[in-house]
Amino acid sequence: MASLLKTPEANATKRKGKRKADDMDVDVSEEPKPKRNKQRVLLLSSRGVTHRMRHLMSDFEVLLPHVKKDSKLDSKNQLTLLPELADLYNCNNTLYFEARRHEDLYMWVAKTPNGPSIKLHVQNIHTMDELKMTGNCLKGSRGLLSFDKAFEETEWGRLAKELFTHSIVSIFMVVGPSKVFGVPPLARKAKPFIDHIVTFSILDSKIWFRNFQIVEKNPLQPNGPPQMSLVEIGPRFVLTPIRIFEGAFGGSTVYSNPEFVTPTSVRAATKQAKGNRYAIRQHAQAERTGRKENRRLEQDPLAVSKIFG
């Protein structure tokens, strides 16, 4: 009878509950999993975009697999609604294309919801369909991102580079002077290939955008030795920085470009120059007509009426 009685230690071992980590054969020294890069970009435009602007947005959608496209924004004066819209789409970056007068295009790059944000003027737009380049790459593939050394020379260049890294090209591997950012391998619609390179260069205080395909073999000699070369794919455009704001689509101004001239002012100056030329031409014509009238009214001293009159 006594042998059937269970000791308190035996009862304690059969109690239900969690076992301690010391009693379990678990390796607690495992390294934590790397943090996943969850950068998502909301892509949308305003009303009044032209066909070329729409094609440029389509090229961005193809170039960035982690983008989420939304319909056009009705109001151009209420940009503060964009952070809330990005929150609804679970996006932490926003690319907003603002069209003015059906011919001027501005691009906003913002880190939502707290900022910063940069406003850029887009010029010399050439889409993939217009260029008809021979280069080609896999849709949704990852690529290398190359920044010019001039980005590290100015404060606005460093800030613009950080914004581009987070929003425009967070899907790419960034190749800089001394650092390489990791590529999120599980990005939305991303392919595990690296076959193109995107370059950002600064020239004349403007940012020049180019996209190239990485060709490892010579097409004329496919069985020959590998020869690395670059073939431009497109699109290509030029970005002129206007302002950098502390917040998302507003706030205090961190940087303002003193050399930027609005395209409306340029067109007004061109029309004024043409108007000045027209006024000068009309004034010269009036003077010429007046001289002809004066010569006609002047009496010739050798005229017949004077001599035989």
Side-chain angles (χ1 to χ4, degrees):
M1 190 71 179
S3 62
L4 297 177
L5 295 177
K6 297 181 180 179
T7 60
E9 290 137 2
N11 293 331
T13 56
K14 289 188 177 182
R15 288 177 184 173
K16 293 183 179 180
K18 296 182 180 180
R19 298 174 61 187
K20 296 182 179 180
D22 299 336
D23 301 334
M24 300 171 62
D25 297 335
V26 178
D27 188 5
V28 295
S29 62
E30 293 181 358
E31 296 182 357
K33 295 182 179 180
K35 187 177 180 181
R36 182 181 175 184
N37 189 353
K38 296 182 179 180
Q39 298 291 333
R40 298 184 181 90
V41 181
L42 177 64
L43 178 67
L44 74 162
S45 67
S46 64
R47 296 286 180 181
V49 292
T50 60
H51 67 284
R52 181 173 294 180
M53 300 174 188
R54 288 196 301 269
H55 291 172
L56 180 62
M57 290 184 61
S58 301
D59 294 343
F60 265 99
E61 188 178 4
V62 173
L63 198 62
L64 306 177
H66 63 310
V67 76
K68 290 186 178 181
K69 192 174 181 180
D70 191 22
S71 58
K72 299 176 182 178
L73 187 68
D74 293 330
S75 178
K76 297 180 181 179
N77 299 324
Q78 297 180 356
L79 299 182
T80 54
L81 299 176
L82 290 173
E84 300 178 4
L85 191 61
D87 188 28
L88 291 176
Y89 281 89
N90 196 18
C91 296
N92 46 13
N93 303 282
T94 305
L95 269 177
Y96 175 64
F97 290 88
E98 181 181 356
R100 296 283 183 179
R101 300 177 183 270
H102 297 279
E103 53 184 342
D104 302 331
L105 181 63
Y106 298 92
M107 184 175 71
W108 287 82
V109 182
K111 184 74 177 176
T112 55
N114 298 323
S117 57
I118 181 172
K119 184 179 182 181
L120 305 142
H121 180 219
V122 188
Q123 295 174 298
N124 301 333
I125 301 174
H126 298 280
T127 60
M128 293 182 182
D129 296 335
E130 293 177 350
L131 292 176
K132 296 181 180 179
M133 294 292 181
T134 58
N136 190 14
C137 66
L138 181 66
K139 181 179 179 180
S141 63
R142 295 179 291 168
L144 300 176
L145 177 67
S146 175
F147 282 103
D148 190 10
K149 292 183 179 179
F151 279 93
E152 300 294 335
E153 297 176 358
T154 58
E155 294 183 357
W156 72 267
R158 290 192 292 268
L159 185 56
K161 176 182 177 181
E162 192 68 22
L163 279 173
F164 291 155
T165 305
H166 279 275
S167 57
I168 294 183
V169 284
S170 61
I171 193 67
F172 296 110
M173 179 185 298
V174 183
V175 180
S178 61
K179 52 186 177 181
V180 177
F181 293 90
V183 181
L186 300 178
R188 180 173 177 261
K189 297 182 181 179
K191 304 297 189 302
F193 299 100
I194 298 176
D195 57 355
H196 62 104
I197 179 171
V198 179
T199 62
F200 284 88
S201 305
I202 293 181
L203 182 62
D204 297 333
S205 299
K206 300 178 185 295
I207 302 174
W208 300 69
F209 179 92
R210 294 292 185 271
N211 184 23
F212 299 94
Q213 178 195 3
I214 302 174
V215 181
E216 297 182 357
K217 292 184 179 181
N218 189 359
L220 300 178
Q221 298 179 356
N223 298 327
Q227 297 179 1
M228 189 73 68
S229 61
L230 298 177
V231 180
E232 187 172 358
I233 304 174
R236 63 164 67 166
F237 51 87
V238 181
L239 301 173
T240 304
I242 302 175
R243 284 179 182 270
I244 299 178
F245 299 94
E246 184 179 1
F249 300 98
S252 59
T253 302
V254 178
Y255 168 78
S256 178
N257 188 1
E259 300 178 359
F260 176 73
V261 181
T262 61
T264 306
S265 302
V266 174
R267 286 191 294 268
T270 304
K271 291 181 181 179
Q272 186 177 4
K274 291 182 179 179
N276 293 337
R277 289 200 298 268
Y278 177 76
I280 292 172
R281 188 168 63 250
Q282 291 295 321
H283 182 68
Q285 184 177 357
E287 288 184 351
R288 185 168 60 252
T289 304
R291 287 195 299 267
K292 287 182 179 180
E293 283 292 326
N294 293 333
R295 285 197 300 268
R296 189 178 64 82
L297 296 176
E298 287 179 357
Q299 296 182 358
D300 190 2
L302 299 180
V304 177
S305 60
K306 291 287 186 180
I307 296 175
F308 301 100

